[in-house]
Amino acid sequence: MSIIIRNLSFSYGSLNALQDINLALQEGCFNALLGPNGAGKSTLFALLSRLYALQSGEITIAGHSIAHHPAQVMRKLGVVFQQSTLDLDLSVAQNLYYHAALHGMSKRQALPRITEELARFDLSQRLHDKVRTLNGGHRRRVEIARALLHQPEILLLDEPSVGLDPATRESLNLHIRQLCRQQQLTVLWATHLIEEVQNDDPVTILFKGRILASDTADQLCQQHQSADISTLFRSLTGTST
Ligand SMILES: Nc1ncnc2c1ncn2[C@@H]1O[C@H](COP(=O)(O)OP(=O)(O)OP(=O)(O)O)[C@@H](O)[C@H]1O
């Protein structure tokens, strides 16, 4: 299941944050959305997750138009926002049960899902701890576990590794890649860190609200005769990340 975006534009007053975006994610893959600060990544996430209403263009998620079938879309989608939305004074369990309830799951239905996701992230022992006592990497893992509770087919992550140390960033990135391989999860991972992108990833480079390039990192480098994705990014945008 994938996301298809057609002719999407969005402005904040006179500022065009996204201009004529056309994009189809590769199913079951780690799709990277690469752009410097202000490129429009968070605005795109706000539209995909229905925080913002569409102004123009169309988005189809897992075959459903987000404008016409929002409930079906939300069932298929998991979202991890840039800023943490965990309640620090609730336990991990309380945060997860609350989210499960929002998706219509009873406590009895939620418990095996919570157990499974926390085990996957090596966090089973922290179930009854307050989120405040977890380090940044573990909080991120809880947020991802939460986004996966209702078994979405597509997972959106907006700069999930910001503020984490390099080793934690890498392990999070590898973990998400494993989910793509094992569960055919379709992932959209927004980042401004080029080292988080691998050569065979489908990559979209967003700059000042426009898509400058979209293909696998390898293909893009070949097409533009660039030594690597970092060099290509610099030559296309005039900036380094
Ligand atoms: N609520 C808002 N009101 C007005 N302008 C906004 C608002 N949110 C974002 N913008 C502007 O829209 C453009 C795109 O911002 P956006 O946050 O989507 O980019 P981004 O790629 O996510 O950047 P960052 O990595 O810094 O979050 C920027 O010029 C930003 O200043």
Side-chain angles (χ1 to χ4, degrees):
M1 287 294 167
S2 183
I3 294 184
I4 298 169
I5 300 171
R6 289 194 194 91
N7 308 322
L8 183 73
S9 296
F10 188 88
S11 4
Y12 299 99
S14 59
L15 185 129
N16 295 322
L18 293 174
Q19 297 184 61
D20 204 23
I21 302 294
N22 287 282
L23 178 64
L25 297 191
Q26 296 283 317
E27 287 187 38
C29 285
F30 182 102
N31 295 262
L33 178 65
L34 199 54
N37 291 336
K41 304 181 298 297
S42 295
T43 303
L44 181 60
F45 270 64
L47 290 164
L48 291 171
S49 56
R50 296 187 59 253
L51 278 182
Y52 294 164
L54 295 183
Q55 291 175 346
S56 69
E58 283 175 44
I59 300 177
T60 306
I61 295 183
H64 301 286
S65 148
I66 67 166
H68 300 117
H69 302 109
Q72 285 94 324
V73 165
M74 294 322 275
R75 276 199 284 277
K76 303 283 185 189
L77 199 62
V79 186
V80 178
F81 291 106
Q82 195 171 353
Q83 299 294 336
S84 171
T85 55
L86 295 169
D87 188 319
L88 300 182
D89 291 317
L90 295 182
S91 68
V92 170
Q94 287 167 322
N95 271 282
L96 296 181
Y97 276 126
Y98 179 67
H99 182 84
L102 291 180
H103 277 279
M105 294 162 79
S106 67
K107 261 193 150 176
R108 181 186 286 203
Q109 289 169 322
L111 182 60
R113 292 291 307 124
I114 290 174
T115 307
E116 186 182 345
E117 291 303 334
L118 287 184
R120 197 207 301 283
F121 283 102
D122 247 352
L123 281 171
S124 306
Q125 304 302 319
R126 309 303 303 267
L127 183 64
H128 299 296
D129 293 346
K130 279 193 179 177
V131 169
R132 191 178 290 287
T133 66
L134 272 55
N135 66 30
H138 286 167
R139 289 181 194 181
R140 263 305 182 212
R141 283 164 190 248
V142 171
E143 286 206 298
I144 296 170
R146 183 181 64 174
L148 294 170
L149 278 185
H150 62 290
Q151 299 179 291
E153 291 165 20
I154 299 164
L155 181 64
L156 309 178
L157 303 109
D158 189 2
E159 307 225 27
S161 51
V162 161
L164 302 179
D165 61 73
T168 310
R169 270 206 321 255
E170 190 183 0
S171 96
L172 200 63
N173 186 287
L174 293 177
H175 190 92
I176 296 295
R177 291 176 182 281
Q178 202 175 32
L179 289 177
C180 295
R181 278 196 305 276
Q182 290 176 348
Q183 304 188 4
Q184 283 70 55
L185 188 70
T186 302
V187 164
L188 181 60
W189 174 288
T191 186
H192 63 273
L193 301 169
I194 289 194
E195 64 268 26
E196 294 184 342
V197 176
Q198 293 183 359
N199 287 344
D200 54 352
D201 288 338
V203 178
T204 296
I205 298 179
L206 188 65
F207 185 61
K208 295 188 175 171
R210 291 185 184 277
I211 291 181
L212 299 187
S214 191
D215 207 325
T216 61
D218 269 344
Q219 286 293 327
L220 287 178
C221 291
Q222 225 172 57
Q223 286 158 23
H224 294 267
Q225 298 178 339
S226 279
D228 52 49
I229 193 77
S230 177
T231 310
L232 173 65
F233 185 86
R234 273 202 305 279
S235 79
L236 286 179
T237 66
T239 66
S240 55
T241 58

